[in-house]
């Protein structure tokens, strides 16, 4: 229900806190305040359009015609990595990009700011609807072509090059930019480990998490994209990345997937 609400235009979701736990209530208090701030900055006309569009299509449709390539550790490790970071409004933006990818697309690593209780369900939902395989990342997972790994909602995710393959490393280190997982943590590791073998995309979201990491990726030789203001629910993270020179290109969400397919094999 929470993921369906996001599809219909909800700005944020959270799980019901344990009222007997003072620590959990305090943590959720901060989360609620951040969600309200994000809602106050949301592109309401875009959310209304999304709600109208959702009413025009059948509910809970699974794309049964999609044939996925079998993914296993025997599959050749990805030579190129697509790193995506998003926050408020990002669930639908991520889906629109993954829907454009194919089995031979670069391996994808994703940080979406979302409570841990939802990230596994989010990955499962995308896996049912997208042409590529999508899963919640586990520590030491290999980054494979035609597969997207989504960081668990309460763990940082970093990229590591081990031998001839890229792998992900999960940790519960302190929050960065008030987030765990943090987009900056992922992007900085991609800049260091993948350099020009990477593509970076920063999507809709409040705040500045990921902006400096995207700049680091660009400076390391990666091609980087920021979502434009018109198609963002909250034009915070992309705006910050653009302002500091982190974006090679600024694109509407409808264009990003097609553009990535066009440039994916260009070093």
């Amino acid at each position: 229900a929470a993921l369906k609400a996001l599809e219909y235009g909800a700005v944020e979701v959270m799980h019901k806190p344990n009222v007997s736990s003072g620590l959990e209530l305090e943590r959720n208090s901060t989360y609620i305040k951040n969600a309200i701030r994000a809602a106050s900055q949301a592109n309401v006309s875009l959310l209304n359009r999304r709600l109208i569009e959702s009413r025009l299509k059948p509910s809970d449709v699974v794309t049964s015609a999609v044939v996925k390539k079998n993914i296993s550790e025997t599959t050749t490790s990805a030579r190129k990595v697509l790193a995506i970071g998003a926050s408020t409004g990002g669930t639908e933006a991520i889906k629109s990009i993954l829907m454009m990818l194919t089995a031979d697309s670069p391996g994808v690593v994703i940080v979406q700011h979302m409570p841990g209780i939802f990230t596994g369900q989010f990955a499962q939902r995308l896996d049912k609807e997208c042409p590529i395989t999508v899963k919640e990342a586990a520590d030491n997972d290999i980054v494979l072509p035609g597969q997207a790994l989504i960081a668990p909602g309460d763990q940082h995710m970093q990229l590591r090059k081990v031998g001839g393959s890229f792998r992900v490393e999960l940790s519960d280190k302190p929050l960065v930019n008030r987030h765990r997982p943090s987009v900056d943590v992922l992007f900085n590791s991609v800049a260091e480990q993948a350099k020009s073998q990477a593509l970076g995309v920063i999507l809709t979201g409040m705040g500045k998490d990921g902006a400096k990491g995207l700049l680091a990726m660009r400076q390391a030789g990666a091609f980087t994209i920021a979502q434009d203001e018109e198609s963002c629910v909250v034009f915070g993270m992309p705006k910050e990345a653009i302002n500091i020179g982190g974006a090679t290109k600024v694109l509407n969400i409808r264009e990003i997937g097609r553009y990535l397919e066009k440039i994916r094999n260009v070093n």
Side-chain angles (χ1 to χ4, degrees), residues 120-132:
Q121 297 170 38
F122 178 47
Q124 290 172 24
R125 188 178 185 91
L126 289 176
D127 187 59
K128 290 177 181 177
E129 298 182 357
C130 298
I132 67 170

Side-chain angles (χ1 to χ4, degrees), residues 158-177:
Q158 293 177 277
L159 190 73
R160 289 283 176 263
K161 193 164 189 178
V162 182
S165 67
F166 291 110
R167 293 177 180 265
V168 294
E169 178 183 283
L170 304 181
S171 74
D172 58 358
K173 292 178 182 177
L175 278 62
V176 175
N177 298 322

Side-chain angles (χ1 to χ4, degrees), residues 38 41 58 61 93 125 155 168 176 188 206 239-240 261:
Q41 300 173 30
V61 172
R125 188 178 185 91
Q155 293 184 283
V168 294
V176 175
N188 284 326
M206 188 181 74
K239 181 180 179 180
E240 185 70 22
E261 278 299 282

Side-chain angles (χ1 to χ4, degrees), residues 65-92:
V66 171
V67 178
K68 294 178 185 284
K69 177 182 176 182
N70 283 333
I71 297 291
S72 71
E73 293 209 358
T74 59
T75 304
T76 304
S77 175
R79 291 187 306 105
K80 209 168 185 72
V81 177
L82 168 58
I84 301 174
S87 188
T88 311
T91 54
E92 290 303 297

Side-chain angles (χ1 to χ4, degrees), residues 42-53:
N43 182 344
V44 177
S45 62
L46 179 66
L47 295 174
N48 286 340
R49 191 159 65 245
R50 184 183 296 173
L51 178 59
I52 291 168
E53 289 171 353

Side-chain angles (χ1 to χ4, degrees), residues 8 40 51 53 63 76 90 107 110 138 142 145-146 154 156 172 204 206 210 213 235:
Y8 287 166
S40 73
L51 178 59
E53 289 171 353
T63 311
T76 304
I110 300 170
I142 297 179
D154 55 358
H156 289 305
D172 58 358
T204 173
M206 188 181 74
F235 189 52

Side-chain angles (χ1 to χ4, degrees), residues 138-158:
D139 194 42
N140 209 38
D141 270 349
I142 297 179
V143 179
L144 300 170
Q147 177 176 271
L149 300 174
I150 297 179
D154 55 358
Q155 293 184 283
H156 289 305
M157 183 167 73
Q158 293 177 277

